[in-house]
Amino acid sequence: MNMNACKRTIIGAVLVLGLAATALANPALAGRWRFEPALSTALDGWHKMDLVVALEGTKVALTHDMLWIRSKVVATNTFDTAQPVEQKDFFRIEQRHMAVYPEKHGVTKATASWIDGGRVLRTEAMTPVEVSQGNVLMRITTEYRVSETGDTLTLIELHSTRNRPLVYVFKKVPAEAAVN
């Protein structure tokens, strides 16, 4: 096989894998989801949280729209199921009250994949943080699971710094009610 034919084969394989990753995406995950505090781990320091999920090709944008009294925070983490990404200012839900702060100028390395036949989005982030003992890397593994009826999203988050997972439950916000 000559070099050009080899390159075409590799490019073709990469495109097929990218299309396969897109085809496996769960379209039910897209949209606005509203936090259900009674069903979830305590969300200390926040009174309201929406999670807005946008799917575009192999990219998944997870926007956290959060409110504490009059303080509003909107932050987006973007993942790519086709390749690892690096992000500045990676947002962690619990960062407001845990005394685990983002490292200044830190860059988070993250991956994402569709698992369980494309029903569940799994992400893993290695994020640099500042703690009382110095700077360390924290691994955050998260699964986004949509119910069979498509109206409930369960977010399960496990940190390398904790033994117990954080579990957040959201209800789908109908498009006509999506305005805050």
Side-chain angles (χ1 to χ4, degrees):
M1 184 181 282
N2 70 28
M3 186 61 91
N4 285 337
C6 185
K7 285 181 185 176
R8 284 192 303 272
T9 301
I10 291 170
I11 291 170
V14 168
L15 288 173
V16 167
L17 288 173
L19 290 174
T22 302
L24 291 177
N26 184 352
L29 183 60
R32 180 175 286 270
W33 299 88
R34 183 134 309 138
F35 180 66
E36 292 288 325
L39 304 174
S40 304
T41 299
L43 191 63
D44 299 335
W46 299 104
H47 293 117
K48 179 181 173 190
M49 174 172 61
D50 280 4
L51 180 66
V52 181
V53 181
L55 306 173
E56 186 176 322
T58 60
K59 294 192 175 170
V60 181
L62 303 168
T63 300
H64 303 86
D65 186 351
M66 304 179 80
L67 186 64
W68 178 68
I69 303 175
R70 290 188 185 105
S71 298
K72 184 173 177 73
V73 171
V74 178
T76 302
N77 294 332
T78 302
F79 296 88
D80 192 330
T81 59
Q83 62 190 357
V85 296
E86 293 186 354
Q87 297 182 60
K88 289 171 143 182
D89 303 321
F90 186 81
F91 183 77
R92 299 183 339 267
I93 293 171
E94 92 304 339
Q95 70 190 29
R96 182 179 186 87
H97 65 96
M98 293 301 296
V100 178
Y101 305 101
E103 183 180 297
K104 290 175 182 58
H105 310 295
V107 175
T108 297
K109 296 179 181 185
T111 59
S113 59
W114 294 102
I115 61 173
D116 297 338
R119 292 177 316 188
V120 175
L121 176 67
R122 180 183 182 277
T123 66
E124 185 165 290
M126 295 297 289
T127 190
V129 295
E130 295 178 5
V131 295
S132 59
Q133 295 83 8
N135 294 344
V136 297
L137 276 178
M138 179 170 50
R139 180 179 38 80
I140 304 171
T141 304
T142 308
E143 289 188 7
Y144 298 82
R145 299 174 179 219
V146 178
S147 66
E148 288 184 22
T149 57
D151 64 342
T152 303
L153 170 65
T154 303
L155 187 161
I156 304 167
E157 188 170 281
L158 184 61
H159 296 198
S160 59
T161 57
R162 299 171 165 251
N163 290 330
R164 299 179 72 187
L166 301 169
V167 178
Y168 302 114
V169 177
F170 298 82
K171 293 294 184 181
K172 188 80 169 226
V173 177
E176 62 274 5
V179 176
N180 292 340

